[in-house]
Amino acid sequence: MGVTPLVIKQKEFSTRFRGFDVQEVDAFLEEVARELESQETALENFRQENHRLNLENQGYRKREESMKNAMIQSQKVLDQMRDNAEKSAQVTIANAEVEAEKILNQAHKRLSQLHSDITELKRQRIQLEMQISSVIDSHSKLLEMTKEENKAADESDTALKFIRRA
C-alpha cells in the first residue's frame, strides 16, 4: 500500500485494552518510514537530475551566448569587409577615371600634333609644288631658248651651206 498524506490522516488504529495495537502501529510506522525513505531517495534523484540539467542548461546558454557573440563579430567583420570593398572600388574607379583623363588628354595632344603636322605637310607640299613648277617653268624657258638657239644655228648653218654651195 502506498502512503500518502491522506492515508496517514485517515489511518485509524484499533484499540485494545491498553491502547493501540503496538504491532499494527509499528508495522504502519515501518511502512511510512520506507515510503518516506523511497520518496526522499526519489526527491534526491530529482534534485541531482535538476542540478545536472541546470548545469547542462548553463552550458547551453554559455554556448548560445558565445555563438551570438561570434555571429555579431562575424557580422561586424562582414560589414567591415563590405565597407573596405566599397572604398577599394571607389579608389579603383577614381584611379581609372584619372587614368582615362590622362589617356584622353594624351589623345587630344596627339590629335592636335597630327593636325599641326598635316598643316605643315600641306604647306611643304604647296611650297614644293611651287618650286617644282618654277623649275619646270625655268627648264621650259631654257628649252625654248635652246630650241630658238638651235633653230637660229640651224638657219645659220643652212645659210652657210647655201652660201658655200653658191
Side-chain angles (χ1 to χ4, degrees):
M1 141 177 133
V3 177
T4 65
L6 184 59
V7 170
I8 295 172
K9 287 180 185 177
Q10 292 177 350
K11 179 66 178 166
E12 292 183 18
F13 298 101
S14 54
T15 55
R16 291 197 175 166
F17 174 67
R18 292 188 344 166
F20 297 113
D21 182 0
V22 175
Q23 288 178 346
E24 192 178 332
V25 170
D26 285 343
F28 181 73
L29 290 176
E30 187 65 35
E31 188 178 338
V32 168
R34 275 194 311 269
E35 187 65 30
L36 284 177
E37 188 177 314
S38 171
Q39 299 246 344
E40 283 179 8
T41 303
L43 183 60
E44 183 59 30
N45 287 340
F46 287 137
R47 284 184 185 144
Q48 288 176 358
E49 180 68 13
N50 187 36
H51 182 67
R52 184 188 67 76
L53 290 174
N54 282 338
L55 290 176
E56 191 176 317
N57 190 25
Q58 285 177 354
Y60 288 138
R61 287 179 192 260
K62 285 180 182 178
R63 283 188 216 128
E64 178 186 18
E65 189 64 29
S66 294
M67 286 183 181
K68 282 182 184 177
N69 288 338
M71 287 175 59
I72 289 170
Q73 290 299 324
S74 296
Q75 187 62 43
K76 286 180 182 177
V77 168
L78 287 173
D79 290 343
Q80 188 176 20
M81 288 173 67
R82 185 189 69 239
D83 291 343
N84 289 343
E86 286 176 2
K87 288 176 184 174
S88 177
Q90 289 173 351
V91 167
T92 301
I93 289 169
N95 288 340
E97 287 174 348
V98 166
E99 191 62 30
E101 190 66 32
K102 285 180 184 177
I103 291 170
L104 191 58
N105 285 338
Q106 288 174 351
H108 283 301
K109 286 179 183 176
R110 180 70 177 139
L111 181 62
S112 176
Q113 182 63 42
L114 287 173
H115 282 302
S116 296
D117 290 349
I118 289 171
T119 303
E120 176 61 22
L121 287 172
K122 283 180 180 179
R123 187 193 63 74
Q124 287 177 3
R125 185 192 75 204
I126 291 170
Q127 185 180 11
L128 188 60
E129 285 174 352
M130 288 173 59
Q131 287 175 352
I132 289 172
S133 180
S134 174
V135 166
I136 289 173
D137 284 344
S138 67
H139 282 303
S140 190
K141 285 180 184 174
L142 278 173
L143 188 60
E144 277 299 316
M145 285 175 41
T146 305
K147 280 182 183 178
E148 286 179 15
E149 285 177 9
N150 284 338
K151 191 176 183 182
D154 283 346
E155 286 177 4
S156 81
D157 277 346
T158 307
L160 272 175
K161 280 184 192 179
F162 188 69
I163 295 179
R164 282 190 192 159
R165 285 190 197 165

